[in-house]
Each structure stands twice: as C-alpha cells, then as structure tokens.
Amino acid sequence: MLEIRNLHARIAETGTEIIRGLNLTVKDGEVAAIMGPNGSGKSTLSYVLAGRDDYEVTEGEILYNGGSILDLDPAERAAKGIFLAFQYPMEIPGVASMEFLKVAMNSQRKARGEEPLKVPEFLKRVREATASLSIDMAMLKRPLNVGFSGGEKKRAEILQMKLLEPKLCVLDETDSGLDIDALKIVAGGVNALRAPDRAIVVITHYQRLLEYIVPDSVHVLYKGQVVKSGDKGLAIELEANGYAGVIEEAA
Amino acid sequence: MNIQTTRTRTAAETALIDTFAARLPDLPGDKAVIAKRREAIAALEARGLPNRKVEAWHYTDLRRLLTTVPAFDADADAVAVAPLLEGSTVLSILNGKAGKAQPVEGVTIVSAAEKMADGIFAPALQPATDDDAVGAINAAFAADGWFLDIADGAAPATPIEIQSAQAGGQVHTRLAARVGEGAKATVVERHVGTGDALASSVTNIVVGDDAELRWLIVQEQPVGATQLGQFNAWIGKNAKLTLFIMNLGGRLVRQEIRVDAKGEGGEFTLRGVNLLAGSTHCDVTMVLDHSAFGTKSTEVIRNIVTDKAEGAFQGQIRVAQQAQKTDAKMACNTLLLSDEGGFSVKPELEIFADDVVCGHGATVAEIDRNSLFYLMARGIEEKTARGLLVKAFLAEVIEGLEDEPIVEALEAKLDGWFAEHG
C-alpha cells in the first residue's frame, strides 16, 4: 500500500529539514501507529503524504500502490484514495458543510471517471454515516467546521473519511482534545473502516488512542527517522518508560 | 482660490457644460428647480470635475477617469430585466424615464418628473458639499425617477424594485423614499443596461421613527458604462436601516453613502460586496454621522479584485459630542486575486463624544493557503477550491442579511459573475 524510502523533506520557506531519511512500509489492511515525542516530525510526515506545498521533498520516494505520488497535488492524491484526518481541521466560514461534502465526493468521483452522486443517494449516505458517528445532521447545516467543538471537528473528519472511502487513511493526532466518550466514538468510526484493502496510519503522541484502535505495527519517529518498529507491545512499553530509552538505544 | 479657473477643461467637462443649455428645455421642474440646475452646472463650470487633490476624490480622480461623456440618446432602446426578487413590484426607469407606476398597498408612488414640478422640490437638488460632483451632475441633469411615500405603519407584502435600465447615452435618475413611522419595507435599487452610458443616480431616504428599511443597491452595468451613485439617508429614533450594496460591473463606478443616524437609538447596517474585474475602477465612499445618543452602526465591505481592476473604500465615521454611547464598527476586507489589480482603503474616525465604542479594521490578503490545502486534501481540484473560497468570502456577508430569498438571489448573482469572470 505505502512504501516510504529514505525520505528527506524540509520546510520550503526556511529550508529546515524535518524528515531525515525516513523508511516505512505499510501493507494492505494494516493499521500502523506512528509515535514520537513532540518535534519528531509526525505532523510533517502527514502533510508530506497529503502533498502540502509548504514542504519540499529533497530526497527519497513515496510509493503508493507501487507508484510515486511526489508529483501529484493534494487533490490528485485524495482522488487516488489518500486521506488525511487533520489534527486541527480548518474552519471555513461561508462554505456550507453539506455543499463541501457533495463537492468533495463528486470531485473524487469525477477524477475516477465516475458519475456524480444523485442528491437522494448523497443524502442517504450522509444520513447513514452521521448516525453511526452520533453526529446531529443539524451540525452539517453550519458552515464547514465553524463553531464546532474540538470533538465535533474530529468526528466531522471521520465522517468525511467514511464518505470518501479512501484506501490510505492518515490520522494526525486524532485523539488530541478529545474526552473519553468522544475518543470512543471516533475510534469506533475508524475501526469500522478497517478492511483488507485499506491501510490506516495513526499518528499519536500517547498510547491512549491505541487502546481503542489496536495497531498491527508501531513505529517510533525521532528526529525525522523511524528509530524503532515493533508490534502493539512497543506502544505499551513507551507508555510505561517514555521515549528516552528507545531514543538512547537508537542513538 | 482661483487656481482652478486657469486649468484647461477636459473633454468630459466641456461635454457636460456644453450640452446643458440644449438639454435644459427637455428637463422637468419648476422655476426653482431650473435655478438649482443652473447653479449646479455653474459650480461645475467654476470648479471643474474633482481630481485627486480633492480629498474626497483622492482614490478616484474623476477629472482623469471620466474620459468621455456620451451624448443624450432619446431613442436608446433600454430593456427591462427580470426583478432580483421574485414577486417584486417593479418600478422601471427606461433610458432615464420613469415607466408606469404600479400600485403598492400603503405606498404612494409618484414619478420624479412630476415631483420636480410640485413647487417645493428644489432644495433637495442642493449638492451635499462643494466637492459633491455626483450631486452636482445629477442636480443639473436629473430627468426622472421615483418617489415612494410609505405610510406610517405600512408593511408592503412584496419587495419593491426600482430598476433603471440604460442602452447608452446619459441617464440621470433621482430616487427618494419617506418611510413612515413604524413602517417596514424592502426596496431594491437596480442599475442595469447594455450601453456605454454615463449614469448618475441620487437617492434620498428618510427613515421615520421605529421604521425598518432594507435597501439593496445592485449595480450590474456593462463594462463600458460609468455609474455615479449617491445614497443619502437620515435615520430616525429607534429606526433601522440596512443598506446592501453589490457592485458587479461598470468601467468607472463611484457609489457614495451619506448617512446620518440622527434619532436616538437609530441603527445603520452597511454590507457591501464589490466584485472587480477587467479594468474596472470602483470606489465606495461613506460618510456616516452618529448625531444622537445610543446610535449603532456596523459596516462590512468585502472586495475581490481580479485582472487590472482598481478599487477603493473610504469610510468616515463622525461621532458628534451629544452622541454618547455610540457603537460603531467598520471592516473592509479584500481578496487580491491578481498582481496587477489594487485596492485602497481609508478608514477615518472623528469622535467628539467621550463614551463611545468605535472600531475599524482592514485587511488585504490572498486566498488562505491553509483553507485551500484543506479543500484540496479532500479531492477538490485547485480551481474549484479557489472558487469555493472566494465565493465563501463574499457569501458570508450576504448570508448576514438573514432572508432566504434575498440571500439566494444575491448568491445567484455571484454565481453568474464567477461563471463569466472566474
């Protein structure tokens, strides 16, 4: 599904290198957790995967289903099935949530050569997805993410993910700012999307989320590199002993 | 102060002055009105058109920008268009001449030509200041228009649209409304056309105590037309005036707003959306007086600038000494979508009271990169995503009107503009 080889990326404006020779492989159906202390490059990795042009890839390769995605813009990547759930979803006043969902779904369908969704079918899908995430349809009458609480924003991200049916989901600190009830709803939404032909990359600072979204693999990111990989036991070890041991070991 | 007498007249000044004598016999009005017209043209002759050295015209050098003045064209075949809001009562002005009056319950409707002969009209033609070129040109040439007298407590069930349509030449219209005590109305002032006309329009409104008036100016002149507009209003006690302005066209556009919140507790709301494309020059200039205790105002202007278009917003708020507890907020935000376009903003506060809240803010920005990335990350291609964000920037102001049919009609105008210019 995803293969990152010796990736180097820097902030375009300042030239500061953040990702420094990162290697990572995620297979079809796999849930991979990326953990690491603040400043290790977790969010940068998620942005680079989604194609944000504030970052420049200077070396290495990102292969998605065997093909390089480095020359694709964010919309093209999304249409190919890559989805980033944002740590801080943008509030966009003036863009109605429903309109946004419809345009996004139909843009992706168009890029894949599919017919646009008819309104009743679109509404049916949204209704089903909102119900499963305990989202009130009234929330979608508001402008996109405007006035949403932290928990509502995260749920809205998972809603988008559900509707867009991506193949590679990248969740950037989806647990931040969530209370335990919201966390369970969000984790439930993600778990429902686990499928043999879909991979999920969960980026998180804390082990807590991984109690609800149990990963197949755990990777520790430090100074822009994966310094250690293991199974879910690694996350528990990190929670107990902190990052210091793993980092020292790697150094 | 005779500096201006030595300068050479521009072609436009010459055309205005020279055609006046020939035009005068065809213009309506009693003796006093005719005298006002002569005064106005004499002032124009003495002072010339204002240039950028005149403060109120600093961003719109009318002397330089008004390059030609077309001749009057009595046979121009102006065509009315469908009203902005479905079900409106339409009062048309075709080629500068008022059409047939339509009945509206609770409203007395008289053409301006008729009104100008009533013996008491002349003072209304007095330009607001010495620099009031729009008022002077209009006073000299205004031929027709509509007067609405909305009875006390009246609330017409449907909106009224005053539609001025031109097909070239010159059209100079006068509009006025008296909104009676406790009355409630929505009026659309529309400027449309097909020719490269010179159009001027002056609107005078008195909003009575406890009345509520919503006035929408929608200017959609073709790319070759010049539109000089002026909106004057006096707001009574606890009355509410909401003025919405949408500029979608024209080559040279000046829309002036002069409002006096003169009754205690009066409220003024201005929402403006200016869409500038091609080589349009569009200037919205407001002078707002808070003259009474506890008056409120908010002004939000949003502009988008593409191509080589230029725009300006001047917003002056004056708070008189007796206008304690004034609450005034003004904001002007511009999205620059081209490196060749420009927009100038000049906020001015003049406060003589000591217990007031007054604020203003202005931004000129490009499309927000974070928002653009967010939309694109959901598969929305860049062009569509940019379009959504630009529309959203303007739609926010329109949605503030909180009236579904109006919001839908105005957003349809936006869509039409984007289809043509996006």
Side-chain angles (χ1 to χ4, degrees):
Chain A
M1 174 72 67
L2 175 68
E3 196 181 345
I4 303 175
R5 289 185 195 155
N6 187 33
L7 186 71
H8 289 255
R10 62 185 188 193
I11 300 170
E13 201 175 289
T14 60
T16 311
E17 190 169 58
I18 307 287
I19 304 293
R20 303 179 178 103
L22 186 146
N23 292 288
L24 177 73
T25 301
V26 182
K27 294 197 224 27
D28 291 6
E30 183 176 338
V31 174
I34 308 247
M35 301 184 70
N38 288 331
S40 56
K42 300 192 299 292
S43 283
T44 299
L45 174 61
S46 73
Y47 286 144
V48 170
L49 284 171
R52 187 168 188 145
D53 63 3
D54 299 62
Y55 300 95
E56 252 171 35
V57 171
T58 52
E59 207 183 324
E61 192 51 271
I62 303 176
L63 300 173
Y64 170 69
N65 288 333
S68 174
I69 57 167
L70 291 179
D71 290 335
L72 303 181
D73 76 18
E76 292 167 324
R77 294 184 196 197
K80 280 191 178 292
I82 298 175
F83 181 94
L84 168 63
F86 283 64
Q87 182 179 3
Y88 302 110
M90 293 300 302
E91 293 193 7
I92 309 188
V95 172
S97 298
M98 285 297 262
E99 173 75 5
F100 161 75
L101 289 174
K102 199 169 77 194
V103 173
M105 287 169 80
N106 284 335
S107 293
Q108 294 204 13
R109 293 177 71 87
K110 188 176 153 201
R112 293 193 295 259
E114 297 163 16
E115 286 295 305
L117 281 177
K118 296 223 161 51
V119 174
E121 172 63 18
F122 164 72
L123 288 175
K124 183 171 155 251
R125 291 189 189 194
V126 174
R127 236 178 268 126
E128 283 169 8
T130 48
S132 70
L133 289 165
S134 310
I135 291 173
D136 187 351
M137 283 289 274
M139 195 173 105
L140 300 180
K141 293 214 171 85
R142 285 187 253 158
L144 186 55
N145 292 326
V146 175
F148 289 19
S149 70
E152 285 174 332
K153 279 183 187 162
K154 295 301 170 74
R155 266 184 280 167
E157 291 290 288
I158 304 303
L159 170 71
Q160 292 173 26
M161 190 161 99
K162 220 174 157 78
L163 291 169
L164 292 168
E165 301 176 322
K167 292 292 173 226
L168 174 63
C169 310
V170 181
L171 279 65
D172 186 12
E173 309 251 358
T174 291
D175 48 338
S176 70
L178 290 187
D179 61 30
I180 195 73
D181 293 329
L183 186 69
K184 282 181 183 168
I185 293 170
V186 165
V190 174
N191 285 328
L193 284 167
R194 291 179 91 140
D197 63 344
R198 178 177 287 136
I200 300 173
V201 175
V202 182
I203 295 175
T204 182
H205 189 79
Y206 301 106
Q207 195 260 340
R208 190 178 70 152
L209 178 66
L210 303 180
E211 285 173 22
Y212 300 96
I213 304 173
V214 180
D216 300 306
S217 61
V218 174
H219 309 270
V220 179
L221 193 60
Y222 180 65
K223 288 190 173 168
Q225 286 186 330
V226 173
V227 293
K228 187 167 184 178
S229 297
D231 61 13
K232 66 182 175 194
L234 177 57
I236 297 164
E237 186 193 320
L238 288 170
E239 184 74 3
N241 306 324
Y243 289 105
V246 174
I247 289 163
E248 258 169 52
E249 201 181 301
Chain B
M1 291 302 285
N2 57 355
I3 303 162
Q4 282 152 343
T5 55
T6 58
R7 69 181 184 187
T8 48
R9 265 191 208 156
T10 65
E13 286 165 350
T14 303
L16 286 169
I17 293 159
D18 289 357
T19 53
F20 178 72
R23 180 73 185 152
L24 191 57
D26 295 331
L27 292 172
D30 51 44
K31 264 192 197 155
V33 165
I34 303 299
K36 275 287 173 205
R37 293 188 188 282
R38 289 187 195 282
E39 254 175 55
I41 208 72
L44 199 66
E45 204 169 345
R47 303 180 64 89
L49 291 168
N51 62 16
R52 54 186 295 279
K53 290 178 194 153
V54 177
E55 204 186 340
W57 292 88
H58 184 72
Y59 300 100
T60 300
D61 188 327
L62 192 63
R63 189 165 192 267
R64 186 174 61 80
L65 292 170
L66 189 65
T67 45
T68 54
V69 171
F72 282 90
D73 181 358
D75 304 322
D77 194 11
V79 182
V81 298
L84 179 76
L85 305 171
E86 227 179 78
S88 298
T89 303
V90 179
L91 299 172
S92 66
I93 304 167
L94 298 177
N95 198 26
K97 189 139 185 50
K100 200 170 162 280
Q102 305 293 325
V104 179
E105 208 186 320
V107 187
T108 307
I109 300 170
V110 179
S111 79
E114 192 178 324
K115 199 81 185 163
M116 285 182 200
D118 72 357
I120 54 168
F121 182 76
L125 285 176
Q126 180 64 40
T129 63
D130 284 350
D131 303 330
D132 180 8
V134 176
I137 291 171
N138 188 270
F141 293 105
D144 213 340
W146 290 106
F147 276 62
L148 313 179
D149 192 327
I150 304 171
D152 291 356
T158 55
I160 297 169
E161 171 161 327
I162 300 174
Q163 186 184 105
S164 174
Q166 55 86 8
Q170 290 186 43
V171 292
H172 301 279
T173 57
R174 264 284 144 166
L175 309 175
R178 184 195 76 93
V179 185
E181 219 171 281
K184 210 173 162 183
T186 296
V187 180
V188 178
E189 175 186 331
R190 196 104 175 269
H191 299 281
V192 299
T194 53
D196 297 343
L198 166 65
S200 81
S201 184
V202 172
T203 301
N204 290 331
I205 310 261
V206 176
V207 187
D209 296 350
D210 302 306
E212 276 180 47
L213 176 67
R214 189 159 48 191
W215 192 278
L216 316 171
I217 300 177
V218 179
Q219 182 275 117
E220 0 175 16
Q221 295 283 16
V223 290
T226 296
Q227 173 77 34
L228 304 175
Q230 188 178 94
F231 177 91
N232 306 298
W234 292 264
I235 304 174
K237 245 191 202 169
N238 298 317
K240 287 188 179 136
L241 169 62
T242 299
L243 173 63
F244 180 88
I245 295 178
M246 185 181 235
N247 280 306
L248 295 162
R251 180 186 69 86
L252 169 60
V253 177
R254 165 97 163 181
Q255 177 64 54
E256 300 177 349
I257 303 152
R258 299 168 190 271
V259 171
D260 186 358
K262 68 183 188 57
E264 212 175 294
E267 228 178 289
F268 176 57
T269 304
L270 170 65
R271 295 291 180 267
V273 168
N274 300 304
L275 295 91
L276 313 186
S279 49
T280 292
H281 179 103
C282 177
D283 172 327
V284 175
T285 291
M286 179 194 81
V287 179
L288 168 63
D289 283 301
H290 281 267
S291 320
F293 181 89
T295 48
K296 259 186 170 174
S297 75
T298 67
E299 296 81 34
V300 180
I301 304 286
R302 295 250 166 126
N303 316 294
I304 60 165
V305 181
T306 66
D307 307 328
K308 292 179 179 169
E310 296 275 341
F313 171 68
Q314 305 186 88
Q316 187 182 34
I317 300 178
R318 306 190 291 208
V319 181
Q321 202 176 356
Q322 71 275 15
Q324 298 294 357
K325 301 285 180 195
T326 283
D327 186 340
K329 283 183 202 79
M330 175 165 64
C332 180
N333 312 102
T334 304
L335 264 187
L336 270 187
L337 303 178
S338 133
D339 295 336
E340 293 172 283
F343 202 94
S344 308
V345 183
K346 189 172 113 185
E348 253 182 298
L349 301 179
E350 251 184 50
I351 304 171
F352 295 103
D354 55 15
D355 185 12
V356 301
V357 180
C358 281
H360 65 80
T363 61
V364 177
E366 294 168 15
I367 284 179
D368 181 56
R369 295 164 53 87
N370 296 325
S371 301
L372 184 64
F373 172 62
Y374 187 77
L375 295 181
M376 288 182 72
R378 295 299 176 254
I380 302 173
E381 55 183 357
E382 183 168 356
K383 191 169 181 263
T384 310
R386 282 180 181 277
L388 273 177
L389 292 171
V390 173
K391 195 186 155 194
F393 171 75
L394 303 170
E396 225 190 327
V397 176
I398 294 173
E399 278 154 18
L401 288 169
E402 289 179 349
D403 179 297
E404 211 170 306
I406 294 179
V407 170
E408 275 176 20
L410 292 172
E411 290 192 346
K413 285 278 159 215
L414 284 189
D415 290 339
W417 191 89
F418 283 119
E420 199 178 328
H421 301 279

